[in-house]
Amino acid sequence: MDFNLDETQQELRGLAADLLAREATRERLEAFEKSGAPYEVGIWKALAQAGLLGICLPEEQGGAGLGPVELTVILREIGARVAPVPGYASLALAAVPIARHGTAEQKSLLAPLNEGETVLTGAYREIGPAGVINTTARRDGDAFVLTGVKTFVPYAAEASRVLIPARVEGEGVGVFLVEPSAVSITPQPSATTEPLARVELDGVRVGADALLGGVADGAAWETLRRSAVAGAVALSSGVIEGALNLTTEYVKTREQFERPLAQFQAVTMQIGDVYIAKRALDVAVWAGAWRLAEEADDIDEVLAIASFNAADPVIKALYTCQHLHGGIGLDVTYPLHRYFAWAKHSGHLLGGAEDQLDTLGVLVAAREA
């Protein structure tokens, strides 16, 4: 297996990296954080104009029709620049399952996304371990009645649709496209600038056309779940790369006892530990993206390994980056705090290290059985 990007993917990475280097500057991010806006509209529009939001969208909606590896490329670059845009929410949590399972009418929601005119999102988490679905959908004539609570839903109030996974009585898990105005949205605290919300569905009635693909066989939920995990670890992979680059530059130029910090052996060893954590996550992220593209039978195992690395070693590596910066590493006027917040947020979204170890243990035991 070869995890090197092909020529098209390398060009895609270069395009995304160059665009975000121009758009997501330190000064622009500082101005955005003072604005109180939910996301940076200018960067979002620039991504759309460059065709980067349409990478994984169907060609009939103006997209390129590419797959998980290309989406990973885009999300890693967004993470490396901690660009405050709803790329993960709109693409990983919504566009991927809609593109794969949606009806022609449902897929039409993706055309405005391709133009950067709208935001979509999905409700991946509930109270309890990651992947648990307690929300129910009861058939009522030609409609469904949804009841349950979703947590940490990004951009719920800003989205044109929220994808809601729910258990349909006597069938399986279905995913429903619900308008934000139909649910109760309560803002939740966020370590990043990203707006998060608790979404409550108290007998919300939706038509049969709201069921993604028209079936509740669990396939759409499986796609959403895997895409949610793959997208979160891709962001983390970009975040630790950006933090490592920032820290490396700092220790090369910051002097102590008339010597650059990078010349001290203890500093070199700690930077090495950060690099090892980054590379371990990178390998698992690209392995997971490739397996998603190939629909391999060990997708969930590899994604669990990537999730553990994102939720534990990478978080510890960010602490090391802060330590190597000294006091300035904790200063909110210095950019490192954004990387730390994004990494912690992804770790929480994934359920934490212990949850991922439990998940991996169950998967391995099931395979051996």
Side-chain angles (χ1 to χ4, degrees), residues 27-43 84 193-195 338:
E27 296 75 19
R28 192 160 175 179
L29 296 185
E30 289 174 352
F32 162 75
E33 289 170 351
K34 295 175 183 177
S35 71
Y39 62 94
E40 223 292 347
V41 176
I43 299 177
T193 57
E194 182 177 68
R338 299 188 185 96

Side-chain angles (χ1 to χ4, degrees), residues 1 13 22 54-55 79 85 96-97 113 117 122 129 173 177 228 234 243 284 301 330 339 366:
M1 131 187 7
R13 181 174 62 183
R22 293 194 309 270
I55 288 300
V85 293
V96 169
L113 173 61
E117 299 293 339
V173 177
L177 282 72
E301 292 176 26
L330 301 174
Y339 293 98

Side-chain angles (χ1 to χ4, degrees), residues 12-168:
L12 177 63
R13 181 174 62 183
L15 173 61
D18 291 345
L19 184 148
L20 290 167
R22 293 194 309 270
E23 299 288 338
T25 62
R26 180 173 175 176
E27 296 75 19
R28 192 160 175 179
L29 296 185
E30 289 174 352
F32 162 75
E33 289 170 351
K34 295 175 183 177
S35 71
Y39 62 94
E40 223 292 347
V41 176
I43 299 177
W44 187 239
K45 289 284 190 179
L47 288 169
Q49 291 170 2
L52 295 174
L53 297 185
I55 288 300
C56 299
L57 304 187
E59 294 181 6
E60 56 266 30
Q61 269 69 50
L66 299 179
V69 175
E70 290 76 17
L71 178 58
T72 298
V73 169
I74 300 300
L75 292 179
R76 280 192 84 255
E77 294 305 323
I78 290 175
R81 290 288 175 176
V82 286
V85 293
Y88 171 70
S90 293
L91 300 178
L93 296 183
V96 169
I98 291 175
R100 182 164 185 175
H101 301 282
T103 63
E105 182 179 358
Q106 291 166 343
K107 289 180 181 179
S108 67
L109 295 169
L110 300 176
L113 173 61
N114 185 46
E115 301 297 325
E117 299 293 339
T118 190
V119 172
L120 298 168
T121 191
Y124 167 60
R125 289 300 307 269
E126 291 190 5
I127 297 172
V132 168
I133 299 294
N134 292 316
T135 300
T136 61
R138 176 175 54 84
R139 286 190 179 271
D140 184 18
D142 59 352
F144 292 89
V145 178
L146 307 181
T147 302
V149 174
K150 303 292 184 178
T151 58
F152 303 114
V153 182
Y155 301 98
E158 291 75 22
S160 60
R161 295 290 191 284
V162 181
L163 272 65
I164 302 289
R167 294 192 178 278
V168 180

